Amino acid sequence: MSRVWLPPEQYAEQLMKATGFACVHFTDERDRPVQLRSLYSPAHPWQMPGGTMEPGERPWETAVRECHEETGITVSGSPRLLAAVYGLPGEEWPYSTMGLVFDGGRLSDAQIQGITLDPEEHDEFRVLPLEAWRPLMPAQDFARLDAVTTARRTGVAAYFDTWDWGET
């Protein structure tokens, strides 16, 4: 069997396509997750601050930029990975999705009160105990939030590979 080596650009055209994202997981001082309500994604109404990576941007840069744009909070310090998230393509999106969730820490009451939402992306934020989020989001979104919460508590990053497009 002989191999034919393709030029990199031809080989790349044959590979899986994926969209990268990065986000930040915040809680209040009582470890209750902070979530933002999306205006553009009724299938995934409650979200962590974050978004799609731009060309040339590294995941931590994306998380910091998106968090600031969406909440007014500037995350500082070294990145602490909580989870790697993967989703298969589906009817809603033609590419796989791969992303990283970083620990944004615990916000004080003053920091939470100072959240300034981007009115083009989110119209509300809430701080609730973990189980109170379950009825407010699709099962896969709650499972991801639960995995991220567990990762922070245990110090062991989560691998969450069932955040597929079109699945709820």
Side-chain angles (χ1 to χ4, degrees):
M1 182 165 124
S2 67
R3 285 192 178 202
V4 175
W5 293 99
L6 298 174
E9 49 286 337
Q10 282 183 309
Y11 179 68
E13 286 301 314
Q14 298 175 22
L15 298 177
M16 173 187 84
K17 305 296 185 261
T19 302
F21 73 90
C23 54
V24 177
H25 173 68
F26 288 117
T27 64
D28 68 358
E29 292 174 333
R30 292 171 293 285
D31 289 325
R32 298 180 303 176
V34 176
Q35 297 280 283
L36 314 178
R37 187 168 67 185
S38 172
L39 291 171
Y40 57 86
S41 181
H44 302 281
W46 292 97
Q47 308 173 347
M48 293 174 243
T52 305
M53 294 175 61
E54 294 182 355
E57 199 171 47
R58 298 180 190 278
W60 177 242
E61 293 170 329
T62 298
V64 170
R65 175 185 54 78
E66 286 280 346
C67 181
H68 183 74
E69 290 173 2
E70 294 178 356
T71 67
I73 295 171
T74 301
V75 181
S76 60
S78 300
R80 180 172 174 238
L81 182 66
L82 291 179
V85 179
Y86 177 79
L88 292 170
E91 290 182 25
E92 292 180 51
W93 188 249
Y95 300 128
S96 294
T97 305
M98 299 188 334
L100 301 177
V101 180
F102 295 99
D103 191 349
R106 291 174 176 87
L107 300 177
S108 68
D109 289 341
Q111 288 172 303
I112 291 169
Q113 291 169 1
I115 290 175
T116 305
L117 297 176
D118 177 346
E120 293 183 11
E121 291 196 46
H122 302 95
D123 66 353
E124 181 183 352
F125 69 89
R126 292 185 191 175
V127 180
L128 299 171
L130 179 63
E131 279 302 317
W133 286 110
R134 187 183 299 271
L136 300 177
M137 54 180 54
Q140 69 184 31
D141 291 6
F142 180 78
R144 180 181 69 162
L145 181 60
D146 187 37
V148 168
T149 301
T150 300
R152 182 199 271 167
R153 186 181 72 250
T154 64
V156 177
Y159 171 69
F160 190 80
D161 70 352
T162 56
W163 201 59
D164 300 339
W165 284 94
E167 303 294 318
T168 54

